[in-house]
Amino acid sequence: MEPTTGLILRRITQTELSVSAHKLATIILDGIAWKEGYNGLSRGTAAFTLSALAEKMGVSRQYLTVLLTELEASQLQLTRQKPNGKYAPWLFRFTAFDEADEIEDVASGRDDTSLSRKDYNKTVFSGHININAVSNVFQTCWADLIKAAKTVLPCWNVDTQVIWDRFLAFNRARGNEKVPAGFLLGFMRRWRTAPGTAAQPKEAPTPQRTPDPKERELHDQIKAAPSSNRQFHASDLCSKIGMAAYEARVLEVIRQFGCQRFTAMLAVHGRAVLAGEIAR
């Protein structure tokens, strides 16, 4: 059974996570492409910059890293990569749903469907466009796709036919007779507004929440020990002080900050690094 929005959302709610990690998981889920080629993404993948995620969450970049690490270590198995260069968005994927056996565990049945699987719920630019075939966009299958996609792009207030005409002229000038449909979406994303044209109104940026002193203290402790080495830190610290003492420290952090166990473990590792008990 193929994963759907409802299926992944059920798994998110069933997974033991902090409240903030649950929220982050749903934000990433909301951006997942469910059709190959949607926004230029492969199926099951979401694209975000870390600054955009931090703004949506209302947290600092440092705390966002902690939350991402929590999702990576959870049963959701979040993975992220940046294959398209330094300034490109990160690509996120819940790899727990890549295996059929994992999906069957939480699926309600093979008749379960989701709106996200319907073609008309996503703007998909797939196939190829013949540049010299039809000049009237409304006689093609691309008119509805252009109208749907442009609402969130720089060409939001440009007539659909004008977009199509300029796209054809752009490719004819370069000698292109047939191009991938994704080129049209990319062309719209890079639309240059003529001087004097009204700009699309933007929402006021969400003010950054100022972390309280206790939260800042917790973040500073977590930063002291790279979360990617958490398993080595736990092993080294348990070998040095014993499992019982390790658990006691974790419980102490939970009581002090009211955080989840995973976050408390990272803080314990950071404290140990700062105290010189284990290597960073």
Side-chain angles (χ1 to χ4, degrees):
M1 177 180 177
E2 294 182 347
T4 63
T5 300
L7 176 62
I8 297 181
L9 184 58
R10 284 197 297 273
R11 175 64 68 84
I12 290 174
T13 58
Q14 293 169 358
T15 302
E16 184 178 352
L17 296 167
S18 64
V19 175
S20 295
H22 270 125
K23 178 181 177 181
L24 178 58
T26 56
I27 289 175
I28 294 174
L29 172 62
D30 186 56
I32 285 180
W34 290 114
K35 289 293 181 181
E36 194 72 26
Y38 171 63
N39 278 350
L41 300 173
S42 59
R43 189 180 188 281
T45 303
F48 293 97
T49 62
L50 295 186
S51 58
L53 278 180
E55 182 177 345
K56 287 177 178 290
M57 289 289 297
V59 300
S60 65
R61 288 279 294 272
Q62 291 84 354
Y63 189 49
L64 176 65
T65 301
V66 173
L67 297 177
L68 289 172
T69 303
E70 182 177 354
L71 291 178
E72 291 167 2
S74 72
Q75 295 179 352
L76 299 174
Q77 299 176 28
L78 178 71
T79 60
R80 56 179 172 135
Q81 55 181 336
K82 185 182 283 192
N84 299 320
K86 178 179 179 181
Y87 299 103
W90 285 89
L91 301 183
F92 297 88
R93 186 180 187 87
F94 293 111
T95 57
F97 303 92
D98 289 344
E99 299 181 8
D101 292 341
E102 291 290 330
I103 295 171
E104 292 296 331
D105 289 343
V106 295
S108 58
R110 292 189 177 274
D111 293 331
D112 184 29
T113 59
S114 169
L115 289 176
S116 63
R117 300 174 67 181
K118 304 298 182 182
D119 287 340
Y120 52 74
N121 286 304
K122 295 294 182 182
T123 307
V124 183
F125 285 76
S126 59
H128 289 79
I129 298 175
N130 293 316
I131 300 302
N132 298 315
V134 181
S135 59
N136 187 341
V137 68
F138 297 103
Q139 295 176 0
T140 72
C141 62
W142 307 111
D144 290 337
L145 289 173
I146 293 174
K147 286 191 289 185
K150 73 178 184 178
T151 57
V152 293
L153 296 175
C155 54
W156 64 277
N157 60 346
V158 181
D159 183 76
T160 300
Q161 183 64 52
V162 173
I163 295 174
W164 179 253
D165 290 342
R166 193 180 294 187
F167 176 72
L168 296 181
F170 176 84
N171 283 281
R172 285 168 181 159
R174 286 157 178 76
N176 298 330
E177 296 182 356
K178 187 176 183 180
V179 297
F183 282 23
L184 176 56
L185 180 59
F187 180 80
M188 294 168 63
R189 285 175 172 168
R190 292 166 177 79
W191 189 269
R192 295 293 181 266
T193 305
T197 304
Q200 183 176 14
K202 296 183 178 180
E203 296 181 0
T206 304
Q208 288 282 344
R209 180 176 62 87
T210 304
D212 60 40
K214 289 188 65 175
E215 183 178 333
R216 187 181 299 277
E217 179 184 356
L218 180 62
H219 292 173
D220 290 341
Q221 292 175 7
I222 292 173
K223 284 194 302 181
S227 57
S228 57
N229 295 334
R230 60 187 179 279
Q231 294 177 338
F232 299 106
H233 294 152
S235 177
D236 292 345
L237 191 55
C238 287
S239 298
K240 186 175 184 65
I241 66 175
M243 179 61 73
Y246 178 83
E247 289 295 330
R249 292 189 183 187
V250 172
L251 293 176
E252 178 188 351
V253 173
I254 293 175
R255 285 193 296 268
Q256 180 180 356
F257 296 100
C259 59
Q260 294 291 318
R261 176 179 175 82
F262 181 82
T263 305
M265 290 171 58
L266 297 181
V268 167
H269 300 165
R271 288 180 174 183
V273 169
L274 293 173
E277 293 179 305
I278 59 175
R280 190 170 190 273

